[in-house]
Amino acid sequence: EAIVLAFLAATIVLVTVGEMFFFPVEPSFVSDLSPLSLRGRYQGLLGAAAGLGTAVAPVVGGMVLDTAPGPLLWLGAAGACGIIAAGLWRLGGRVPGEIART
């Protein structure tokens, strides 16, 4: 049990640190991607997508865990993260300003 708690604590720390790096720059990133006249809509869509993900993900994850083995949920999450990472990597060369140079 101690090893499980240690891994849980490490996971919580890793996610928290990731959020500390991601959430402060997220509005700037979306602002750099959006046309000047549509920035409000893009920011609104960002907030709506984040809220929808927060609301829907636990329900979908619970349904997957109820109907399929646990590793299927983690494989699905890893696949979704891979797709998102590939999309962000592809956007890296198209983003104007400082983001594209880092």
Side-chain angles (χ1 to χ4, degrees), residues 24-86:
V25 298
E26 183 181 42
S28 301
F29 182 71
V30 171
S31 180
D32 284 345
L33 289 176
S34 62
L36 185 59
S37 63
L38 297 175
R39 284 196 178 157
R41 289 183 188 178
Y42 276 58
Q43 295 292 344
L45 183 61
L46 170 68
L52 183 65
T54 302
V56 172
V59 175
V60 172
M63 288 176 16
V64 170
L65 286 175
D66 283 344
T67 60
L72 185 63
L73 175 67
W74 298 112
L75 289 172
C81 288
I83 291 168
I84 292 167

